[in-house]
Amino acid sequence: MTVTTDWAPDLAATLPADGAVPTLVGRVWDPEAGGPSVVVVRDGTAYDVSGRFATVRDLCEHIDPAVMLAGVPGEPLATVADLLANTPPEGRDPARPWLLAPVDLQAVKAAGVTFVVSMLERLIEERARGEADAAATVRAEITAAIGGGLDELVPGSPEAQRLKEVLRERGMWSQYLEVGIGPDAEIFTKAQPLSTVGTATEVGVLAASQWNNPEPEVALVVASDGRIVGAALGNDVNLRDVEGRSALLLPKAKDNNAACAIGPFVRLFDDGFALDHVRAMTVSLEVRGEDDFEMVGTSSMRAISRDPADLVGQLIGPHHQYPDGAVLLLGTMFAPSDDRDEPGMGFTHHAGDVVRISAPELGTLVNRVRASEECAPWAFGVADLMRNLAGRMLL
């Protein structure tokens, strides 16, 4: 498989550009340490703070992680520019540090069908039974049957219940409508702890998939007591043909090698950045292919049908605990339907596609698409991390 090499991320675009001074935390593979180090970004340099916080999870458990981090000087490890330059796998110098995903021991979860557009696209996948060439016809039928007016509908409300009854009478009810406008959100496991990839590396889709797409999202970082302590960008890569065949195949459609990207850094909540900023955020997507294909789009968090705090409440609480915290991808309204290859076939990834997901408050997450089977295998797990930290006297 041929892949382009001129896709290195831009430093200025990687970092937030909303005018505030962000509190950015990340993870770097440090060859001298033989493992990952937690870093804070200050004035374009990554400072190693792993002597104080062995994991990002440990940092996020503090009552105010940003304040706690501000009191730790750290040791300069590398500039962010150098880390970015050494992260793409094809040109990496293994003797120099490179960027990793900025989360570690947290459970990686995702909320689905949280925007009306994506809800309708999931319904289309279901009725098309994973066949891309049937999607255009099914989309027209569903749009005509449901009509507009769903944007203001509150999931679980009496109005939503009445719509549910009407759609059931028309034979249009679906499991996707249930989680889209019903009282209970769809929250599923996207990836295992330590398995996510970061920026400037490859993101994977199964080689057998013929209909798939990126899902640009905001990811919330949640402490074990349910506090939302920060946010990052995420790509909840989706295999539409697999999920469309059966919702029971969701794990196969979602949880594959290199199929979840998070980054470039976690921006911790502080005096200049809070959950209300997330609620007002606009997430942009750009896909560029080696076939000169280009696709752009945006998702406004203002259009989300469930408030982020409500989604976190459905994730964690007396009903379910996460002692190492969690990362929750909030869902996307971006479900590409424009044709790429043949009329009526919609969009699907090609090998070598470069995906850029960005927001002024969080920077830019850049990944290149390859088959999951060809991406670097996930080989450094929790046991490896514990042994490495113990050997460095950090536990």
Side-chain angles (χ1 to χ4, degrees), residues 63-298:
I63 191 65
D64 193 332
V67 170
M68 183 64 63
L69 193 60
V72 178
E75 296 291 331
L77 184 60
T79 66
V80 176
D82 286 344
L83 292 170
L84 285 170
N86 197 47
T87 299
E90 72 276 359
R92 183 180 298 161
D93 178 355
R96 296 167 48 221
W98 63 88
L99 285 171
L100 301 171
V103 295
D104 41 43
L105 295 178
Q106 295 91 344
V108 184
K109 312 290 284 189
V113 201
T114 55
F115 290 82
V116 170
V117 171
S118 62
M119 177 183 72
L120 296 180
E121 288 299 316
R122 297 293 86 76
L123 180 57
I124 289 163
E125 289 170 13
E126 179 185 44
R127 292 192 171 246
R129 301 195 181 280
E131 298 294 334
D133 56 355
T137 299
V138 175
R139 184 176 293 107
E141 292 174 352
I142 290 175
T143 300
I146 295 179
L150 293 181
D151 290 349
E152 301 300 323
L153 195 66
V154 177
S157 66
E159 293 79 11
Q161 179 63 28
R162 285 194 291 271
L163 176 61
K164 176 179 179 178
E165 294 169 359
V166 170
L167 293 175
R168 180 179 287 120
E169 291 173 358
R170 295 183 181 181
M172 293 295 296
W173 192 246
S174 160
Q175 57 201 341
Y176 294 108
L177 287 166
E178 177 65 50
V179 296
I181 65 176
D184 299 316
E186 177 193 21
I187 297 178
F188 58 90
T189 297
K190 172 61 183 179
Q192 299 303 305
L194 294 176
S195 72
T196 56
V197 299
T199 197
T201 192
E202 292 168 336
V203 70
V205 299
L206 290 184
S209 175
Q210 300 298 309
W211 189 21
N212 48 70
N213 62 266
E215 291 195 354
E217 305 184 16
V218 174
L220 295 181
V221 180
V222 184
S224 63
D225 60 2
R227 287 176 298 112
I228 306 170
V229 299
L233 293 169
N235 186 352
D236 177 15
V237 180
N238 185 43
L239 308 184
R240 303 189 68 179
D241 47 359
V242 174
E243 185 180 359
R245 282 159 48 203
S246 171
L248 296 179
L249 292 174
L250 183 66
K252 186 177 182 66
K254 291 290 191 177
D255 187 2
N256 299 294
N257 184 47
C260 181
I262 294 176
F265 299 98
V266 170
R267 183 170 181 177
L268 295 175
F269 286 174
D270 55 22
D271 290 341
F273 183 61
L275 187 58
D276 280 343
H277 292 90
V278 172
R279 291 184 173 109
M281 199 174 290
T282 296
V283 179
S284 299
L285 171 71
E286 175 188 285
V287 178
R288 293 183 183 273
E290 294 180 336
D291 56 352
D292 295 325
F293 174 84
E294 179 180 355
M295 178 175 64
V296 296
T298 59

Side-chain angles (χ1 to χ4, degrees), residues 26-39 47-58 77 83 97-105 193-194 196 378-395:
R27 293 169 62 246
V28 168
W29 184 271
D30 183 355
E32 291 189 7
S37 291
V38 179
V39 299
Y47 289 82
D48 185 348
V49 294
S50 55
R52 180 63 181 83
F53 309 107
T55 64
V56 175
R57 176 267 179 202
D58 291 338
L77 184 60
L83 292 170
W98 63 88
L99 285 171
L100 301 171
V103 295
D104 41 43
L105 295 178
L194 294 176
T196 56
W378 174 35
F380 191 87
V382 174
D384 298 292
L385 177 62
M386 294 300 106
R387 283 191 287 266
N388 176 264
L389 295 177
R392 294 159 63 183
M393 305 298 289
L394 297 179
L395 291 182

